[in-house]
Amino acid sequence: MSVANESISREFILLGFSDRPWLELPLFVVFLVSYILTIFGNMMIILVSRLDSKLHTPMYFFLTNLSLLDLCYTTSTVPQMLINICSTRKVISYGGCVVQLFIFLSLGSTECFLLGVMSLDRFLAICRPLHYSVIMHQRRCLHLAAACWISGFSNSVLQSTWTLQMPLCGHKEVDHFFCEVPALLKLSCVDTTANEAELFFISVLFLLIPVTLILISYAFIVQAVLKIRSAECRRKAFGTCGSHLIVVVLFYGTAIYMYLQPPSPSSKDRGKMVSLFYGIITPMLNPLIYTLRNEEVKGAFKRLMKRIILIGK
């Protein structure tokens, strides 16, 4: 019997680190602070990028998409995690698990391609400056962003369907903080080799191929930047590209560790911590990285604050 045919009233138990209750308070504080910073930081980037005309460029259009994605990404998991930490019954309904799995997988897949598009934008801006405005016009930016979102949600439909069709045979203890494909596959009472092979293939498509193209594009970017005579221009170019590269390393590094390593019982706790990193910590760090290392964003933020102060007076 498949999961879809089992009782819809099923509740899954999210174990997390319930075997280590002394970790619950520190984790609650970390999750809560990270979530607040994620909401505030990403909303500020969206607000500044939309209100400041100097940031109406392809780079900040894609950054706005990334911030919106990160807002939804963390909201799909963190509130439920905070509730479960405070509760003695660490459960999530079947419907809640399905929704959480679909949204988390959709947005994670979308980010894989979106970061690749952002590196393409930087490559064209630095290596093809004379053709940049012709190539990255508004309509093309909209098409590229739409392609990222559609690809991410299409992948989620496929993977969620495959995962939820696996029979559980009464198993309902998810050894994780939230509903994610690798954790749900471990509940199945049948051979999951085919599903794991499909997951590996899709992970290569969504993780290894984009990160390889990103690294190649940055090799060309570094070569082009080193040829720039102006030290100020070099510093600005390395600043904007450096911010993106840090985000790429944080996101792809942890996701590749989670989805492309062979399953091992000894690595399950490490897997939980790694998933928390790309699911919570990275979305929180993205606004800080782009703000602290980007003079344009800092300048726009200062201009916005001055406008707010003047309106208040």
Side-chain angles (χ1 to χ4, degrees):
M1 185 185 299
S2 68
V3 175
N5 295 326
E6 294 182 25
S7 173
I8 299 301
S9 62
R10 170 185 295 280
E11 287 183 335
F12 290 106
I13 300 171
L14 298 173
L15 297 178
F17 283 125
S18 56
D19 57 333
R20 301 173 188 176
W22 56 272
L23 274 176
E24 291 189 342
L25 180 58
L27 286 175
F28 180 85
V29 173
V30 170
F31 293 167
L32 180 61
V33 172
S34 299
Y35 186 55
I36 293 171
L37 291 175
T38 299
I39 297 296
F40 176 77
N42 284 290
M43 285 188 69
M44 285 305 301
I45 283 185
I46 293 172
L47 189 63
V48 168
S49 298
R50 292 297 88 201
L51 294 180
D52 196 303
S53 59
K54 292 184 178 180
L55 300 186
H56 290 177
T57 63
M59 174 181 170
Y60 294 103
F61 169 74
F62 294 124
L63 181 57
T64 300
N65 274 263
L66 180 64
S67 293
L68 176 61
L69 187 153
D70 283 340
L71 280 174
C72 301
Y73 196 47
T74 52
T75 300
S76 70
T77 57
V78 177
Q80 180 67 49
M81 290 162 62
L82 293 172
I83 292 171
N84 283 352
I85 288 176
C86 295
S87 174
T88 54
R89 295 186 70 246
K90 305 179 187 304
V91 298
I92 184 171
S93 66
Y94 173 81
C97 186
V98 171
V99 171
Q100 190 178 81
L101 173 68
F102 177 77
I103 294 176
F104 189 81
L105 194 53
S106 299
L107 298 176
S109 302
T110 300
E111 185 162 352
C112 289
F113 281 157
L114 183 60
L115 290 174
V117 169
M118 292 174 73
S119 73
L120 172 65
D121 173 69
R122 290 299 83 208
F123 168 78
L124 292 172
I126 294 173
C127 299
R128 301 288 186 273
L130 298 179
H131 302 93
Y132 178 68
S133 60
V134 177
I135 298 173
M136 297 299 287
H137 52 77
Q138 185 178 19
R139 188 176 179 183
R140 179 155 293 155
C141 290
L142 288 170
H143 287 167
L144 287 170
C148 292
W149 288 89
I150 292 170
S151 299
F153 276 79
S154 299
N155 173 54
S156 183
V157 169
L158 289 174
Q159 286 206 57
S160 298
T161 303
W162 292 337
T163 303
L164 295 169
Q165 285 180 341
M166 300 298 293
L168 303 182
C169 304
H171 300 160
K172 60 180 183 178
E173 292 189 346
V174 182
D175 194 11
H176 210 331
F177 291 99
F178 51 88
C179 293
E180 195 174 15
V181 174
L184 291 175
L185 286 179
K186 292 177 183 177
L187 294 184
S188 180
C189 55
V190 297
D191 185 18
T192 60
T193 303
N195 293 75
E196 290 171 2
E198 290 165 350
L199 178 61
F200 183 85
F201 173 77
I202 292 176
S203 298
V204 168
L205 181 65
F206 276 80
L207 291 171
L208 283 187
I209 293 178
V211 79
T212 300
L213 295 176
I214 289 170
L215 294 176
I216 292 172
S217 69
Y218 269 97
F220 286 107
I221 288 172
V222 170
Q223 286 182 344
V225 170
L226 292 176
K227 294 177 182 177
I228 298 175
R229 294 182 179 181
S230 169
E232 178 64 22
C233 291
R234 282 201 304 271
R235 187 185 64 80
K236 183 178 179 181
F238 277 128
T240 55
C241 294
S243 300
H244 180 248
L245 196 56
I246 292 171
V247 171
V248 164
V249 171
L250 290 174
F251 179 78
Y252 284 103
T254 52
I256 287 172
Y257 177 88
M258 183 68 179
Y259 282 88
L260 292 179
Q261 70 162 344
S264 170
S266 61
S267 65
K268 65 177 184 177
D269 284 346
R270 289 199 301 272
K272 293 178 194 176
M273 297 307 297
V274 168
S275 66
L276 291 179
F277 202 89
Y278 64 73
I280 299 177
I281 304 302
T282 302
M284 177 196 70
L285 292 177
N286 284 353
L288 295 175
I289 292 169
Y290 279 108
T291 302
L292 295 176
R293 293 182 57 86
N294 193 308
E295 295 297 330
E296 290 180 332
V297 175
K298 286 192 284 187
F301 183 75
K302 290 176 183 177
R303 290 191 292 272
L304 178 62
M305 289 296 100
K306 288 179 181 178
R307 288 168 61 181
I308 293 174
I309 292 171
L310 289 174
I311 292 173
K313 291 181 178 180

